[in-house]
């Protein structure tokens, strides 16, 4: 399991690198690389409110999440607990249209 870490309110640089590494491994496994691994689902127990909504939605994590979904990997992301109507990424990607045959992006929460 490759964790994307969260510490002191800042994303550790390797967090997004870890998500891209997972995508690289899935692609390599599908090409037949016996040393690569595949994954069934990616779970992200983290997120943030995008402070620059005029930028690409989801900002820095958007490309990694979209890449995983495009590979058909379901992405399950925490929906946050801020009691706000502002989008909480990456869970907010669940409301965005996805390409056909993409893995689902699911925002989950509890009350």
């Amino acid at each position: 399991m490759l964790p994307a870490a969260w510490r002191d309110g800042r994303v550790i640089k390797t967090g997004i690198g870890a998500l891209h590494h997972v995508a690289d491994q899935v692609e390599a496994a599908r090409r037949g690389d016996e040393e690569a691994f595949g994954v069934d689902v990616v779970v992200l127990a983290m997120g943030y409110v995008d402070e620059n909504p005029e930028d690409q939605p989801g900002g820095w994590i958007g490309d990694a999440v979209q890449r995983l979904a495009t590979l058909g990997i379901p992405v399950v992301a925490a929906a946050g607990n801020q009691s706000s109507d502002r989008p909480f990424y990456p869970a907010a990607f669940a409301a965005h249209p996805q390409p056909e045959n993409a893995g689902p992006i699911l925002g989950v929460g509890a009350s």
Side-chain angles (χ1 to χ4, degrees):
M1 189 171 189
L2 294 172
W6 183 269
R7 185 182 303 153
D8 298 332
R10 293 176 292 164
V11 173
I12 296 174
K13 185 176 180 181
T14 58
I16 299 308
L19 294 176
H20 282 292
H21 180 72
V22 169
D24 291 343
Q25 290 293 305
V26 168
E27 289 173 339
R30 290 180 181 174
R31 286 192 307 267
D33 184 339
E34 293 181 16
E35 293 184 20
F37 60 84
V39 297
D40 295 320
V41 65
V42 170
V43 178
L44 301 172
M46 48 71 74
Y48 67 99
V49 173
D50 193 345
E51 297 297 331
N52 297 307
E54 49 285 334
D55 292 344
Q56 175 184 352
W60 51 269
I61 199 169
D63 291 339
V65 169
Q66 294 298 332
R67 183 176 175 206
L68 289 164
T70 300
L71 288 169
I73 306 298
V75 178
V76 180
N81 58 4
Q82 294 82 345
S83 298
S84 171
D85 61 353
R86 294 176 64 194
F88 190 77
Y89 288 95
F93 284 118
H96 294 215
Q98 297 300 316
E100 191 171 330
N101 298 323
I105 299 173
L106 307 169
V108 296
S111 60

